[in-house]
Amino acid sequence: MKSLRKRLVITLLLTLLVAWVGVFTLQHQSLARTQTGIWDQALLDVGNQALMSMPASLLDAERGPTFALPDSSDFNGDKASFQVWSLADKRLLLRSPGSPEEPLRADFGLGHQTTFVAGQQWRVYSITDASGRVQVQAAKPATEFRESYLAGLWRGVLFATAEFLLLAVATWAVILHAFKPVDRAGKAILEKPPLDQTKLPLAGMPAELRPFITSINQLLEHQGATMERERRFLADAAHELRTPLAALSVQAELVARSTTAQDRATAIEKLRAVAVRTARLSEQLLDQARTDALCVSPSEPVSLDALAVMIVQDYEETASRKRQRVLLNTEACTVMGSLDALGVLLRNLVDNALRYTPEEGCIAVSCRVLPDGRAELSVADDGPGIPDAARARVFDRFYRVAGSSERGSGIGLSLVSQIAARHAAAINCQTGLNGGGLSIAVIFPLMR
């Protein structure tokens, strides 16, 4: 599992490591240049002071014994060696203890130069007096330069390493502290009961986590709404199925108690009618559940004319039993929608019209493209219709028009309203055929 915390720590530590290497490299270059400059300046000062301190009579004097240090002094050799040469005869006039007897710079040139004398490397500075008679050569062994350089380099490396380790520990501590709200949020989510839809608190959360927590809260809200729909569906199903199931039981008892063939046939016909109504109610409840679960926007082109033809064909037998005429008038029109949902919508409109239209009545199903480019799907009948005062409520769930002889579930037109809303369609409810009945038109928006 990829850990953002580990990736962040590794990235920061690698960055610090690269910075440490960069500091080490810069320190190496800077220290080398600085040490070389310091040494060259020190040698220049030694040479200048030695030249100005010697008397001119040094050229005429014979070399004699030098003064000795007292026994109490401890001399380990001067770190800087110097020689004084007579340029006329290349005679060594004076040299410091520990310096070689051969010239530190054999070409007796001027300025700084690195030479190899007496088996070791030297850094030499040469200066000649104004008259050109004597030359002072001041030098230090390169080994001392390297020792001084390495000592300074190691001090810098130890300091940079300590700083790197301190920053690494500080980085780890800061990251642990910064991710504590994430850990708290994760713990709060894991500890929530399965059915607890309480939103996570945003108080105390950093700004970077707020969009994440907000998304989780929105998900909990959607989940809560889904669970509420499921609870409402179960309650509605239990309530609505109780009556037809009881009726089925009563009619079955009547069939069992019938003593004559005519009574039995009558009871069986009533039982069949109750079974049909129960099946229809179950189908509508399932359609309601599917419609409640539909939470995505319609996204496929649906041919309304082809859908109308298919639905009308399915209801031909039902219409023929009541000797009803179904008129179909369609023209090619396509809308963006869900084929299954629009099928439920049209089936409920047609079923509603067939059930409430009396025998030998007429139902008209049509779809067309309006002048403004919108699509209209309508179902009209010449049945009893709906009073104007009740038309605003017929689309409410489980609402039934008072005084109707046909027993309905009150779900069909509610489904029509919900599916139309999902498709951003408008519903127009008017008087139906021959100045009576009911006409319901669903007007879909323009295709984009």
Side-chain angles (χ1 to χ4, degrees), residues 221-285:
E221 185 177 351
H222 294 330
Q223 184 180 5
T226 300
M227 294 179 63
E228 179 60 29
R229 285 196 300 267
E230 291 178 355
R231 286 193 291 266
R232 188 169 63 248
F233 169 74
L234 291 175
D236 293 342
H239 177 269
E240 293 298 321
L241 288 174
R242 185 179 296 113
T243 299
L245 289 177
L248 281 173
S249 178
V250 170
Q251 295 300 327
E253 288 290 335
L254 291 176
V255 171
R257 294 178 181 178
S258 299
T259 55
T260 65
Q262 183 178 358
D263 292 341
R264 186 178 294 107
T266 301
I268 290 175
E269 181 61 26
K270 291 182 178 179
L271 179 62
R272 187 193 67 80
V274 173
V276 170
R277 286 198 300 271
T278 305
R280 176 57 182 161
L281 176 59
S282 301
E283 182 181 347
Q284 287 186 324
L285 286 171

Side-chain angles (χ1 to χ4, degrees), residues 178-208:
F179 274 85
K180 280 185 178 179
V182 180
D183 297 334
R184 288 200 305 269
K187 184 178 180 181
I189 294 173
L190 291 176
E191 291 178 350
K192 288 177 69 66
L195 299 181
D196 183 10
Q197 306 302 319
T198 306
K199 294 183 179 180
L200 297 174
L202 288 174
M205 291 295 175
E208 292 78 8

Side-chain angles (χ1 to χ4, degrees), residues 297-302 334-342 422-423 444 447:
S297 300
S299 59
E300 61 178 330
V302 178
T334 303
V335 298
M336 293 300 296
S338 168
L339 178 61
D340 292 338
L342 291 178
R422 301 273 183 171
H423 291 75
F444 295 88
M447 282 192 60

Side-chain angles (χ1 to χ4, degrees), residues 45-125:
D45 293 339
V46 170
N48 290 343
Q49 290 178 357
L51 182 62
M52 292 186 295
S53 301
M54 291 181 297
S57 59
L58 184 64
L59 287 170
D60 302 328
E62 293 293 333
R63 293 182 60 190
T66 60
F67 290 101
L69 293 172
D71 295 337
S72 60
S73 296
D74 184 15
F75 178 69
N76 295 322
D78 192 2
K79 297 293 183 180
S81 300
F82 70 90
Q83 298 172 336
V84 181
W85 292 87
S86 170
L87 294 178
D89 53 3
K90 300 298 186 290
R91 178 167 50 95
L92 181 61
L93 303 177
L94 188 65
R95 71 182 179 90
S96 62
S99 63
E101 294 187 355
E102 55 187 296
L104 291 169
R105 185 166 179 176
D107 62 354
F108 292 93
L110 300 177
H112 294 89
Q113 188 181 49
T114 300
T115 63
F116 195 81
V117 180
Q120 63 178 328
Q121 193 175 19
W122 298 77
R123 182 66 176 174
V124 183
Y125 174 73

Side-chain angles (χ1 to χ4, degrees), residues 419-437:
I419 295 172
R422 301 273 183 171
H423 291 75
I427 297 180
N428 188 7
C429 188
Q430 296 179 346
T431 303
L433 303 177
N434 303 320

